[in-house]
Amino acid sequence: MSGPFNDHEDPKAEFWYKFRSAVAVILSLAVLVGGCVFVGAKAYDAYISYKSADDYLGDGEKDVLVRVPSGASVSEVGSILLDNDVIKSTKAYNKAIRESESDVTIQAGQYKLKTHMSAAKAVSIVGNPDNIQRTRVTLPEGLTTEQQFGIMAKGTTMPVDSFKNAYKQTAKLGLPVWAKGRPEGFLFPDTYEVGSNPTPLEILQMQTNQFAKQVNTMNFIGQAQTIKRSPYDALIVASILEKEAKHPKDMQMVAGIIYNRLQQGMKLQSDATVLYANHAEGRLTTTDEERAKDSPYNTYLYSGLPPTPIDNPGAASMEAAVTPIKSDYLYWVVTDPDKGTTAYAKTLDEHKANVKKFQAWCQAHKGKC
């Protein structure tokens, strides 16, 4: 039997049928995936919207220094962070505190943060005392109080006058009883690490506290009594040694000479005290006019020690002042200021010969004397 159709399908028709089916499946998958992506995106947007309603996301934007005052509670810190635009809400901050891995304690100080930080990030910073921003101020030995104030002002960006005003509050400085309210000499030279926004009085108290530690460590008072000197007189001698000698052994030798001259009623004739009396700095020698100035600090005019220390001495000069080297010398002069070479003499003629060596050095080093 024959007709227009046979028992086998047309190959081309079968191909196109399968092709259309595959396309339909792919389109269905595309729609499904697209729907999932759309739903996921919407869910993520919803989460971000929910999250950002009370909290910022990320590590923040602009640097900002935030000061936590002494005595501020953890909850008060949250308000401080909010006021500085660090966190978005105290709600997020409190949540971060609750979810912290350990109890959060926040020390007073200044912290470097960023605006628009996540509360958790902000808490991690203020909760670590290592993040407190500190300032180091180094005060060399032998500076007058006025000179110290200049360095302090520069290092802390506080006005010089603020230190002068604090200096006048002698009852609050933490001075020992034997200072009798006279702070010069008791502001111990050292490197001090101060927290953020310290008060000038707090810095001066750090110095007097360090002075007290040094006094105890070297038994300064006991050693002064051993050589039959008051601790205050010994401190005055230490302040002179800062200017008159460079090396510890020379300091001890000069200390012995000072005590020799005092015992014999000789004037000290220390240029260092005269320079202090004239508020002069940066020189080793004095003029006739300066040595004629009527001042209790002028040891060319007045016998004995000046009324107060002439600077704030360090540990080496303080130790030397109470451990003098005994000798028959009555005179000293630094013959090479750069090296700190010091010459000693028993007679005035010997001393004059040594002074000529110093004068020769000055001639060879213009502007240094």
Side-chain angles (χ1 to χ4, degrees):
M1 175 186 250
S2 64
F5 303 100
N6 55 35
D7 295 332
H8 302 284
E9 296 181 359
D10 184 354
K12 291 183 179 181
E14 183 179 5
F15 168 79
W16 284 109
Y17 173 76
K18 291 180 178 180
F19 177 76
R20 286 195 300 272
S21 298
V23 170
V25 171
I26 292 172
L27 288 174
S28 298
L29 289 173
V31 171
L32 180 62
V33 171
C36 290
V37 170
F38 176 77
V39 171
K42 286 296 183 181
Y44 178 75
D45 289 343
Y47 168 76
I48 293 298
S49 177
Y50 166 77
K51 179 71 175 175
S52 60
D54 298 315
D55 199 1
Y56 292 121
L57 302 178
D59 294 336
E61 298 174 359
K62 297 179 181 179
D63 290 337
V64 60
L65 289 174
V66 176
R67 181 177 181 271
V68 174
S70 179
S73 66
V74 172
S75 60
E76 288 173 334
V77 173
S79 298
I80 294 171
L81 295 178
L82 181 64
D83 291 341
N84 284 272
D85 201 21
V86 174
I87 59 174
K88 194 170 186 180
S89 70
T90 54
K91 180 180 179 181
Y93 170 81
N94 292 330
K95 182 174 182 290
I97 294 291
R98 290 194 303 270
E99 294 179 351
S100 178
E101 295 180 357
S102 58
D103 292 339
V104 177
T105 57
I106 302 174
Q107 295 184 15
Q110 189 163 269
Y111 295 83
K112 186 176 181 180
L113 297 143
K114 289 182 179 292
T115 59
H116 296 191
M117 298 181 75
S118 71
K121 182 68 175 178
V123 167
S124 71
I125 293 175
V126 297
N128 185 348
D130 291 341
N131 291 323
I132 296 176
Q133 302 294 299
R134 300 184 183 275
T135 300
R136 285 190 173 185
V137 179
T138 298
L139 301 168
E141 295 85 350
L143 296 184
T144 64
T145 299
E146 291 282 343
Q147 290 171 322
Q148 283 193 351
F149 290 167
I151 295 175
M152 293 177 190
K154 184 177 181 180
T156 63
T157 68
M158 288 187 285
V160 169
D161 286 344
S162 67
F163 288 97
K164 291 181 179 179
N165 292 333
Y167 183 75
K168 295 175 183 178
Q169 301 179 54
T170 54
K172 298 181 180 180
L173 290 178
L175 298 170
V177 175
W178 51 274
K180 297 183 179 180
R182 298 165 293 186
E184 185 78 88
F186 294 86
L187 302 183
F188 193 77
D190 205 340
T191 295
Y192 294 93
E193 188 175 86
V194 297
S196 58
N197 297 327
T199 67
L201 181 60
E202 288 172 343
I203 295 177
L204 299 188
Q205 288 170 337
M206 290 174 65
Q207 291 183 267
T208 57
N209 288 338
Q210 186 64 15
F211 177 87
K213 291 179 182 178
Q214 290 295 326
V215 165
N216 291 333
T217 298
M218 68 177 67
N219 188 25
F220 185 77
I221 296 175
Q223 291 193 97
Q225 292 173 342
T226 299
I227 62 171
K228 298 180 181 180
R229 294 287 171 179
S230 71
Y232 193 75
D233 282 355
L235 187 64
I236 294 175
V237 171
S239 72
I240 296 174
L241 298 179
E242 283 288 351
K243 303 296 186 180
E244 297 284 0
K246 185 173 183 179
H247 305 297
K249 188 173 181 180
D250 287 320
M251 287 182 176
Q252 289 179 290
M253 185 67 76
V254 173
I257 296 173
I258 288 175
Y259 294 132
N260 286 346
R261 293 177 72 90
L262 291 174
Q263 187 175 358
Q264 296 190 24
M266 299 174 65
K267 293 184 178 68
L268 294 187
Q269 296 184 329
S270 166
D271 283 344
T273 64
V274 174
L275 291 171
Y276 183 84
N278 286 273
H279 304 285
E281 298 177 8
R283 287 187 284 120
L284 299 174
T285 57
T286 55
T287 64
D288 291 338
E289 183 180 359
E290 288 170 337
R291 289 191 295 275
K293 181 181 177 65
D294 188 2
S295 166
Y297 291 93
N298 186 345
T299 55
Y300 277 84
L301 289 181
Y302 293 94
S303 300
L305 293 170
T308 70
I310 61 172
D311 56 55
N312 294 280
S317 61
M318 288 176 64
E319 182 70 32
V322 292
T323 58
I325 294 177
K326 293 182 178 181
S327 72
D328 295 329
Y329 292 125
L330 293 172
Y331 305 89
W332 79 89
V333 63
V334 177
T335 56
D336 186 332
D338 278 348
K339 295 179 180 179
T341 306
T342 304
Y344 307 101
K346 296 178 182 179
T347 67
L348 182 58
D349 288 339
E350 291 175 349
H351 177 60
K352 288 180 178 179
N354 290 333
V355 169
K356 288 182 179 180
K357 296 177 183 178
F358 168 68
Q359 292 171 339
W361 187 92
C362 289
Q363 289 294 324
H365 300 80
K366 296 291 186 181
K368 285 196 171 185
C369 293

